[in-house]
């Protein structure tokens, strides 16, 4: 498999750093090809504005999606964005590696999505969800938390981890067509013993080696919704299906 890891942690010796090191080594040893975008090391600029483009559609009013569509038609993405888009279209599996920050993605990774997942290139013209541009590829969140697993479980104070990750799994991955692999979460690595951390890395290695067949989240098909984006209830086929 061709695997693209987007890594968002500012400390190379962090547990996130260890997870990405583990991933690169394990995948390469198993014969997979791996590309890594280490966003802090690259000095990736997460701010989305005219710097996304070398082309200009309307110099008087910045409408990002209109500029994205124009840039897509005229090879007008800034070099840093064009390179990331190439990596995205090269991969068969995409991994976001990050520490949970304020119940979501660190800004550098959210900014990467804001800038790289451009209209025209990655979605648009009716291309979304199971009809998405990136259909046929798989994507997974690999993350760490500060809080304990129980605080992200049923009745946990922080809310269920699946609900917190919904904007990423559904709003970014599934929306653009990816089959979404169940997230891999290491809860509170700083609270674990050294042996427990080593065993979490082994658990991650095992997951990586089954990327192609690891269980995916269930999403309904586009055709199950009406023109207003509302589920057509009562239809026999209105049931959640896995896209894998
Ligand atoms: C801005 C911000 C917002 C945050 N928001 C949230 C939030 O909403 N929810 C939440 O739960 N938490 C939150 N946190 C906490 C954050 O999610 C955790 O601190 C982070 O996920 C821990 O991962 P890490 O990689 O930084 O761990 P680290 O602290 O870097 O690592 C933990 C331990 O693992 C060790 N380690 C490194 N490599 C290895 C290895 N190869 N083998 C064994 N051990 C190793 C390290 O030395 C360290 O002792 C937030 C933190 C910040 C800064």
């Amino acid at each position: 498999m061709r695997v693209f890891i987007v890594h968002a942690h500012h400390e190379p010796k962090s547990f996130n750093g260890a997870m990405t090191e583990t991933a690169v080594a394990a995948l390469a040893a198993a014969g997979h090809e791996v590309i890594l975008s280490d966003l802090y090391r690259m000095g990736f600029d997460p701010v989305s504005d005219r710097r996304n483009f070398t082309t200009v559609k309307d110099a008087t009013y910045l409408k990002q999606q209109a500029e994205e569509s124009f840039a897509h038609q005229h090879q007008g993405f800034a070099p840093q964005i064009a390179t990331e888009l190439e990596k995205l279209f090269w991969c068969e599996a995409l991994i976001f590696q990050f520490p949970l920050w304020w119940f979501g993605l660190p800004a550098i990774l959210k900014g990467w999505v804001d800038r790289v997942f451009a209209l025209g290139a990655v979605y648009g013209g009716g291309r979304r969800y199971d009809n998405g541009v990136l259909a046929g590829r798989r994507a997974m969140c690999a993350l760490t938390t500060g809080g304990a697993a129980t605080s992200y479980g049923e009745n946990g104070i922080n809310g269920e981890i699946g609900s917190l990750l919904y904007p990423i799994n559904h709003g970014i991955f599934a929306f653009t067509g990816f089959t979404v692999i169940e997230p891999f979460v290491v809860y509170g690595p700083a609270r674990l013993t050294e042996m427990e951390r080593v065993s979490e890395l082994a658990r991650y290695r095992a997951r990586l080696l089954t990327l192609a067949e690891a269980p995916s989240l269930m999403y309904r098909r586009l055709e199950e919704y009406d023109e207003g984006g509302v589920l057509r209830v009562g239809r026999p086929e209105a049931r959640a299906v896995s896209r894998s």
Side-chain angles (χ1 to χ4, degrees):
M1 252 187 149
R2 294 188 301 272
V3 184
F4 178 24
I5 302 173
V6 187
H7 175 86
H9 199 294
H10 42 220
E11 172 53 61
K13 296 193 289 296
S14 65
F15 196 76
N16 275 264
M19 287 179 74
T20 288
E21 256 180 43
T22 299
V24 170
L27 290 166
H32 300 291
E33 293 176 75
V34 187
I35 286 184
L36 171 64
S37 277
D38 182 340
L39 299 182
Y40 284 97
R41 191 166 283 178
M42 291 157 62
F44 185 82
D45 176 359
V47 178
S48 186
D49 60 16
R50 286 208 187 273
R51 74 193 81 176
N52 299 359
F53 315 107
T54 54
T55 46
V56 178
K57 181 175 194 294
D58 183 345
T60 65
Y61 190 104
L62 175 57
K63 192 164 172 55
Q64 179 170 332
Q65 288 173 309
E67 294 293 340
E68 286 173 345
S69 180
F70 188 77
H72 176 61
Q73 287 158 19
H74 298 89
Q75 287 80 46
F77 287 109
Q80 194 175 38
I81 306 304
T83 304
E84 295 307 298
L85 274 167
E86 263 178 45
K87 296 175 192 173
L88 187 62
F89 280 94
W90 168 87
C91 80
E92 295 167 304
L94 172 69
I95 297 175
F96 280 2
Q97 177 68 56
F98 61 96
L100 191 70
W101 277 9
W102 293 115
F103 288 18
L105 294 174
I108 198 167
L109 180 50
K110 177 57 167 51
W112 183 90
V113 176
D114 291 344
R115 300 187 72 202
V116 174
F117 276 45
L119 179 71
V122 168
Y123 71 98
R127 305 292 307 274
R128 60 193 177 124
Y129 295 115
D130 47 308
N131 183 35
V133 173
L134 297 166
R137 299 161 209 259
R138 294 165 77 79
M140 179 178 81
C141 287
L143 65 145
T144 60
T145 68
T150 44
S151 68
Y152 288 102
E154 206 183 348
N155 299 325
I157 189 168
N158 295 329
E160 285 190 58
I161 195 72
S163 311
L164 268 59
L165 296 177
Y166 185 83
I168 308 163
N169 284 334
H170 186 88
I172 298 171
F173 292 156
F175 181 81
T176 53
F178 282 106
T179 295
V180 187
I181 304 171
E182 282 183 8
F184 187 91
V185 190
V186 178
Y187 293 98
R191 301 159 178 257
L192 301 178
T193 64
E194 180 72 9
M195 264 178 67
E196 286 170 332
R197 285 196 290 264
V198 168
S199 113
E200 286 297 271
L201 291 174
R203 189 170 69 89
Y204 187 41
R205 198 175 295 114
R207 163 68 74 86
L208 289 160
L209 297 181
T210 60
L211 260 194
E213 65 273 0
S216 58
L217 303 181
M218 309 289 266
Y219 291 109
R220 293 175 187 279
R221 294 187 307 275
L222 200 52
E223 65 181 27
E224 295 177 62
Y225 294 85
D226 67 18
E227 301 69 35
V230 178
L231 190 64
R232 297 176 213 268
V233 285
R235 284 176 39 174
E237 68 273 30
R239 66 188 196 286
V241 289
S242 168
R243 277 194 220 147
S244 54

